[in-house]
Amino acid sequence: MSGSGGRSTGRGGAGYAANSYRTNALVLRTYKLGEADRIIVLLTPGHGQIRAVAKGVRRTTSKFGATLEPFMLSRLQLVRGRNLDIITQAESVTPYGQWIAQDYDAYSAASAMVETAERLTVSDIGEVGERGEPPRPDGRVEAPSQYRLLHGALAALARGAHAPRLLLHSYLLRSLATAGWAASFTTCSKCGAPGPHRSVNVTLGGSVCDDCRPPGSATPAPATVELLAALQSGRWEVADAAPDQARREAAGIVSGYLQFHLERHLKSLSVMDQSP
Ligand SMILES: [Zn+2]
C-alpha cells in the first residue's frame, strides 16, 4: 500500500493513526494466508464481524503467541485496510480457547457455536442488523447481542457450567432468536394457542397445536419439548435434569431448525450428531 500512489500517500503516520482502532474480539476461526500469515475471523461488540490479517502469526517467534487461536478473547489493535484489516497488536483477555481445547466435547460444541456466529453475523446473511437497521456502509453488521451470547456460551463451556451439548443447543436457539428466528416451544407457532403441545414442526417455528399441525410434524416426548423450552429460556435446573433420550431428540430438532434457517448443514453439527 505504501508509496503506490494511494490517497493516503504523503500523510504518513497521520493516515495510519486515523485508520487505527482498538477492540475486544472473540476469535471465530483462522485461515492460512501465504507462508506465515493468517486471516483471522473475529466477532467484536462494536464492529460486528471483522476479517483481519495477522502477519507472521504462524512463525514460532510470533509476538501474537496463542492470542489469535479460535475461541480466545483478546484485546486487539487494528488498522483498517481496503479489504482486510491488519492486526498490529494483540493481548489475551481471557484464554477460553486454552481451557476449551482440553475437552473434546467442549471443543466440538465451541466449533459449532463459532461457525454459527460467523454465519449469523456476516453481512450477506444478516443483511439487516439485530434491530432491523440497514448494514453499515462498509458492509459490517453490528451485532452486540450476538457477541454477548457467544461470549457467555464460551465462558460457560470453559468453566464446565453445564453439559457441552446442552450449552450448544441453548446457544443455537438463542442466537437464532437474536437473528430474528425465534422458535416457540411453549405456545403454538402458528396460532399462538398456549401449550405445551405434542407436535413440533421446524419449518413453522417450533411447537404446533393439534389444529395447526401439518402432516409430517414430529411428535417428540413431552420431556423433549420441555427441554427445548428450557434451553431457549435458560432454565438450567430443568435442562440439567433432562434424560438422555430428551437430549438426543432435542439435538435433532435444534439441528433441523438451524439447518432450515441456515440452509447449509454445519460441518461441526454433523460431527456432534453422531455421538450419543
Ligand atoms: Zn395452532
Side-chain angles (χ1 to χ4, degrees), residues 78-165:
L78 300 102
V79 177
R80 284 199 180 78
R82 200 171 304 160
N83 298 310
L84 294 163
D85 294 354
I86 295 167
I87 299 171
T88 53
Q89 284 176 40
E91 60 190 83
S92 176
V93 175
T94 317
Y96 295 125
Q98 281 175 16
W99 302 330
I100 288 169
Q102 290 167 20
D103 181 279
Y104 176 78
D105 287 339
Y107 187 86
S108 299
S111 300
M113 286 175 184
V114 295
E115 195 171 344
T116 304
E118 182 181 358
R119 298 188 55 190
L120 291 179
T121 56
V122 76
S123 54
D124 66 2
I125 188 179
E127 276 172 13
V128 293
E130 288 169 14
R131 284 170 228 89
E133 74 270 26
R136 289 152 35 125
D138 60 3
R140 287 175 184 171
V141 175
E142 289 190 46
S145 305
Q146 292 289 2
Y147 174 86
R148 275 195 302 275
L149 264 181
L150 182 64
H151 186 190
L154 292 176
L157 273 178
R159 68 174 192 271
H162 306 280
R165 283 160 63 84

Side-chain angles (χ1 to χ4, degrees), residues 104-105 108 165 168-169 248 251-252 255 265-276:
Y104 176 78
D105 287 339
S108 299
R165 283 160 63 84
L168 169 62
H169 296 134
R248 269 196 301 276
S255 174
H265 196 51
L266 295 182
K267 281 177 298 183
S268 312
L269 266 184
S270 59
V271 171
M272 297 289 288
D273 287 346
Q274 285 158 15
S275 54

